[in-house]
Amino acid sequence: QLGIISKTGSSRSFDKDANGYMRAEGAFMYILKRLDDAEAAGDNICAVIRGCGLNTAGAELDADVLTQGRMIVAPVGHAQQSLMETISRQVGVNPLEVDYVEAHATGTAVGDAIEGNAIGAAYGSPSRPEPLRLASTRSNVGHMEAASFTASLLKVILMMERRTFLPVSKHHKTANPKIAFEARRMKVQTACEPFPEQHNVLVGINSFGFGGANGHCLIEEYRPETSQWSAMARPVAGKVYSAPLSAKSEEALVDGARLLAGALDGLDAGGVDAHTLFGNIATRKTAHRVRAAFQATSLGSLKKELSGFVERADASQLKADEVTRVNLTVASDEDRDAAGGDAECKVKPPTVVMV
């Protein structure tokens, strides 16, 4: 009844023939961490949030009350523009430095034009050194409504991982003539395009809701001046590293060894930081009940040890002491009472066997 669902079964963001969107569902999870803490921990940093914020549309510009007959889904351009300008100003970003906007752009005739011109007013300009690129995941996967921002964020992270601007879907044919693309030096991204090398790419993400709720976020590409990885240690002749593996079953343990051996193909001669890799294997994986550990002096020798372990397992020739099972026991009620009522989990220490 609202007339916002596409009759042709496709979302045509920023297209002159846009006639609505298709609904979709999704769920996403992200880990947020202060940049300094993530760098200190050596975490894999996907992107940096420069700033984000919300506002509500309220009345039309220069109007004292809501426009009579205005639908709950109708956006208000000046509120969208104000939000983008406010966030860029708060975080000290020159609007002309924004390279790409992952727009809300659901593919409705009214909404796309209002948003497109609001983006143009906030970030576009005839004096832009490069065109401002616009696209929307709504045209690719549909409108996930409450999850739509997180879908857009995933797309932006994938772009930054591949250093490539990603396009709208093939449903886009002709740009909406009601949007000032040429006057504000903007374009709809219709093909993959590599990121510029001269600077870190900056992307804006729009996400709007019923009733005039507006959200905007500025995401910057993360390219540290120095490597996130620890400095490669000078090789020490005869230094032996330990690489523990664990799983919930012996079969899963063998599969894990097989996968790790496959991942090590070609790495030993590629200048990979073995010290960091051995450290991550030892400390950054969940420890399960079924365990084995391997000694190696290099990534090449670790691959050899893993491959031998897998071959013996496939031939049912593993020795009894090559795999250790850890028994987890919970303290009895009597033990808890004796300790003053505090629950305690007692773990029987495993005997780590070096293969």
Side-chain angles (χ1 to χ4, degrees), residues 62-77:
D62 299 325
D64 295 328
V65 296
L66 291 178
T67 304
Q68 185 176 6
R70 174 171 160 251
M71 296 174 62
I72 191 173
V73 296
V76 175

Side-chain angles (χ1 to χ4, degrees), residues 11 84 96 178 230 245 251 265 316:
S11 299
M84 289 181 269
L96 301 187
K178 296 180 180 179
S230 60
L245 292 183
E251 293 77 11
D265 272 334
S316 301

Side-chain angles (χ1 to χ4, degrees), residues 10-32:
S10 59
S11 299
R12 302 183 179 185
S13 300
F14 296 123
D15 193 275
K16 74 178 185 65
D17 294 323
N19 62 359
Y21 66 80
M22 296 305 297
R23 302 185 72 184
E25 294 181 350
F28 306 83
M29 182 179 293
Y30 300 95
I31 297 176
L32 302 182

Side-chain angles (χ1 to χ4, degrees), residues 270-292:
V272 174
D273 183 354
H275 181 78
T276 296
L277 186 54
F278 275 109
N280 286 338
I281 292 172
T283 63
R284 298 179 75 91
K285 292 174 70 66
T286 301
H288 297 290
R289 293 173 181 265
V290 183
R291 305 178 183 182

Side-chain angles (χ1 to χ4, degrees), residues 1 10 31 33 102 104 146 188 208 235 251 256 263 307 310-311 341:
Q1 292 179 340
S10 59
I31 297 176
K33 203 170 185 179
E102 177 60 27
H104 189 66
V188 178
F208 307 141
E251 293 77 11
S307 299
V310 171
E311 289 174 5

